[in-house]
């Protein structure tokens, strides 16, 4: 009996991995009932100077010692963190970083303000985190690259930080979520770890968390970096959640082990998601872009502690999208869920070229999403539309 079951398992593995095209079905399509929708209630604008443009790569909300709620963002042009009073939209100050020298940071793209004496800045060029203060002085550097291994890029992540993919602090560690910028060969699926844990006391780094085999194994072709992005969220009960673009489910990871569980959190309208119909190597750019445009792709997951709800982004597929069509034409949809991840509804807010959805965050006022083009837009301001869920 044991041998028979063993051979059945071998056959199952062979059949499952002999196909190179993923078909990830949406079990809830057409079955979910909407009771809520997102409603735009107000607009918030932050005036910009002559060296600053909209669509910053990274923002962070931060409370100072007095409890004032500060809105901060990174200006990649002059390598500065700008700080505003969120409620009044008043500019307060900026923190500038040098390009060279002892305090040089070559390509900063994200940061975490723990306090004004401890600001962690990610340097994309050096693949390291610099510990700085509010004067721009670099106190320490933490390398995220395993320089002793020439093949380190096959097993360690790249990092594309944004407001919806931020540093996360938990229990004395900074969690930095990365991704594989390429389709993962089956032989590497058990070795590639996409999350770095930085111990704030020792500055030691541990790498954890593998891509789910059912989504990214079997030599499925997810080239281009769109489908392999990973979006983290700390849940209301301090669990680490990951949203993968190609999955209708959310994945919950154990901090102390590689155990994971999944829970359905899909759209009522999303279709079956397919990988690229081409071998992983030398995939033409036209096929990569065609797959991105035609397939539904999930984005970030955000928790709203004020309303005890979750918001999950979805970039809707356009099955008839022609080669060369701008990615900005993809509709942006937001799924609303309660604290138990029960579906409450979803709302399409527009298309990607109108909304910089990767620059979204939650405040007491509601869900803030950067609005980048359309009626009344003024590039002298960083503009956010604020949404709240309302009963239909």
């Amino acid at each position: 009996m044991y041998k028979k079951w063993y051979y059945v398992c071998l056959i199952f593995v062979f059949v499952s991995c002999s196909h190179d095209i993923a078909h990830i079905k949406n079990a809830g399509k057409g079955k979910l009932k909407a009771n809520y929708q997102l409603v735009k209630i107000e607009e918030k604008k932050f005036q910009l100077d002559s060296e600053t443009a909209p669509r910053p790569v990274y923002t962070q909300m931060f409370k100072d010692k007095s409890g004032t709620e500060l809105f901060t963002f990174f200006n990649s042009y002059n390598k500065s963190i700008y700080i505003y009073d969120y409620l009044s939209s008043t500019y307060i100050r900026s923190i500038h970083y040098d390009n060279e020298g002892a305090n040089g940071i070559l390509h900063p793209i994200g940061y975490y303000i723990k306090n004004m004496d401890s600001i962690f800045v990610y340097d994309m060029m050096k693949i390291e985190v610099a510990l700085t203060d509010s004067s721009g002085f670099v106190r320490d550097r933490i390398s995220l690259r395993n320089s002793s291994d020439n093949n380190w890029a096959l097993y360690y992540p790249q990092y594309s930080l944004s407001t919806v993919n931020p540093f996360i602090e938990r229990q004395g560690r900074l969690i930095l979520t990365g991704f594989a910028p390429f389709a993962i060969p089956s032989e590497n699926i058990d070795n590639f770890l996409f999350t770095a844990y930085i111990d704030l006391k020792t500055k030691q780094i541990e790498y954890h968390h593998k891509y789910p085999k059912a989504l990214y194994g079997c030599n499925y072709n997810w080239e281009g970096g769109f489908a392999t992005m990973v979006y983290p969220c700390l849940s209301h009960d301090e669990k680490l959640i990951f949203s993968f673009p190609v999955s209708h489910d959310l994945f919950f990871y154990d901090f102390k082990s590689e155990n994971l569980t999944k829970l359905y959190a899909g759209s009522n309208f999303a279709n079956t998601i397919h990988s690229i119909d081409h071998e992983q190597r030398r995939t033409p750019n036209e096929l990569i872009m065609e797959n991105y445009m035609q397939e539904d792709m999930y984005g970030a997951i955000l928790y709203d502690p004020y309303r005890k709800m979750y918001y999950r982004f979805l970039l809707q597929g356009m099955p008839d999208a022609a080669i060369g069509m701008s990615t900005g034409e993809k509709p942006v949809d937001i799924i609303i869920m309660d604290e138990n991840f029960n579906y409450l509804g979803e709302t399409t807010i527009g298309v990607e070229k109108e909304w910089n959805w990767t620059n979204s965050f939650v405040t007491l006022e509601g869900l803030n999403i950067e609005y980048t083009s359309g009626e009344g837009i003024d590039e002298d301001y960083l503009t956010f539309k604020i949404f709240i869920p309302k009963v239909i």
Side-chain angles (χ1 to χ4, degrees):
M1 180 65 184
Y2 173 80
K3 288 185 178 180
K4 182 178 179 180
W5 177 247
Y6 172 77
Y7 287 122
V8 168
C9 288
L10 278 183
I11 292 171
F12 176 76
V13 170
F14 176 77
V15 171
S16 297
C17 292
S18 63
H19 300 288
D20 58 359
I21 302 176
H23 300 269
I24 303 171
K25 296 181 179 180
N26 182 4
K29 182 182 178 181
K31 303 175 184 177
L32 306 173
K33 182 180 179 181
N35 297 310
Y36 283 82
Q37 64 181 355
L38 284 175
V39 177
K40 182 174 60 181
I41 59 166
E42 62 178 299
E43 179 179 270
K44 182 172 284 289
K45 291 188 173 185
F46 300 91
Q47 188 166 13
L48 305 175
D49 61 25
S50 61
E51 292 187 314
T52 312
R55 302 183 69 92
V57 295
Y58 194 98
T59 72
Q60 180 192 342
M61 295 295 297
F62 169 73
K63 284 188 178 181
D64 65 13
K65 292 180 180 179
S66 67
T68 301
E69 195 167 28
L70 304 177
F71 168 72
T72 73
F73 68 84
F74 188 75
N75 182 341
S76 56
Y77 176 74
N78 60 19
K79 296 187 178 180
S80 300
I81 297 174
Y82 281 61
I83 303 174
Y84 290 74
D85 182 302
Y86 174 77
L87 292 179
S88 67
S89 302
T90 304
Y91 171 78
I92 298 175
R93 59 164 295 193
S94 63
I95 303 170
H96 174 73
Y97 292 102
D98 294 338
N99 188 56
E100 299 176 342
N103 296 312
I105 301 177
L106 292 178
H107 192 177
I109 62 169
Y111 58 90
Y112 175 70
I113 303 176
K114 181 176 176 64
N115 55 57
M116 285 302 172
D117 293 322
S118 296
I119 303 173
F120 296 84
V121 181
Y122 175 65
D123 188 335
M124 187 176 184
M125 188 68 69
K126 292 184 177 180
I127 314 179
E128 70 176 20
V129 174
L131 174 58
T132 78
D133 62 21
S134 59
S135 68
F137 175 76
V138 176
R139 294 162 42 194
D140 201 356
R141 298 180 187 270
I142 306 165
S143 177
L144 296 172
R145 176 172 175 170
N146 185 354
S147 57
S148 64
D149 186 349
N150 291 330
N151 296 317
W152 67 272
L154 297 176
Y155 311 108
Y156 294 95
Q158 299 293 310
Y159 303 91
S160 181
L161 301 184
S162 67
T163 308
V164 297
N165 181 15
F167 283 92
I168 294 175
E169 182 181 1
R170 184 182 184 273
Q171 296 183 353
R173 294 185 293 180
L174 276 185
I175 302 170
L176 189 59
T177 302
F179 74 110
F182 45 77
I184 306 169
S186 288
E187 59 268 25
N188 286 353
I189 195 71
D190 284 325
N191 301 315
F192 193 96
L193 304 173
F194 60 75
T195 303
Y197 286 70
I198 305 172
D199 189 295
L200 292 177
K201 287 185 177 180
T202 66
K203 308 302 186 295
Q204 295 299 306
I205 302 174
E206 294 181 0
Y207 293 91
H208 293 280
H209 310 319
K210 305 171 185 177
Y211 282 96
K213 285 185 182 180
L215 301 177
Y216 295 97
C218 300
N219 287 317
Y220 294 145
N221 188 344
W222 297 115
E223 283 290 347
F226 301 112
T228 53
M229 286 295 296
V230 187
Y231 298 99
C233 175
L234 200 60
S235 71
H236 64 281
D237 53 357
E238 294 284 297
K239 293 179 181 177
L240 190 58
I241 308 170
F242 291 116
S243 173
F244 295 100
V246 302
S247 180
H248 308 283
D249 301 319
L250 291 173
F251 289 77
F252 299 75
Y253 281 71
D254 192 317
F255 285 96
K256 297 181 180 180
S257 73
E258 293 306 316
N259 295 329
L260 63 88
T261 56
K262 67 179 182 178
L263 189 67
Y264 179 78
S267 162
N268 194 41
F269 307 103
N271 297 304
T272 297
I273 301 172
H274 306 88
S275 57
I276 303 171
D277 187 7
H278 191 279
E279 63 178 350
Q280 288 183 354
R281 295 183 179 182
R282 301 191 237 355
T283 308
N285 287 335
E286 292 82 3
L287 284 183
I288 293 173
M289 294 307 300
E290 181 182 72
N291 180 263
Y292 172 73
M293 291 299 297
Q294 294 184 355
E295 302 294 327
D296 293 296
M297 293 279 175
Y298 290 91
I301 174 78
L302 301 178
Y303 177 57
D304 183 342
Y306 307 100
R307 297 159 191 86
K308 301 187 186 306
M309 292 181 178
Y310 287 92
Y311 310 116
R312 191 185 189 194
F313 288 86
L314 171 71
L315 304 176
Q316 295 176 15
M318 305 175 69
D320 298 325
I323 292 176
M325 181 178 285
S326 168
T327 59
E329 298 299 327
K330 289 200 80 168
V332 179
D333 185 83
I334 303 171
I335 303 162
I336 311 167
M337 294 171 284
D338 66 18
E339 278 196 336
N340 296 313
F341 301 95
N342 295 308
Y343 179 89
L344 297 178
E346 57 192 291
T347 302
T348 301
I349 60 172
V351 295
E352 270 201 275
K353 65 183 178 183
E354 298 172 338
W355 299 94
N356 182 20
W357 66 270
T358 60
N359 191 11
S360 300
F361 55 91
V362 175
T363 63
L364 177 62
E365 287 73 16
L367 173 61
N368 295 243
I369 309 174
E370 186 184 359
Y371 183 62
T372 56
S373 67
E375 185 178 352
I377 196 68
D378 185 344
E379 292 199 353
D380 290 333
Y381 291 86
L382 180 57
T383 303
F384 290 87
K385 304 287 187 179
I386 301 178
F387 296 81
I388 61 171
K390 285 194 174 181
V391 176
I392 299 174

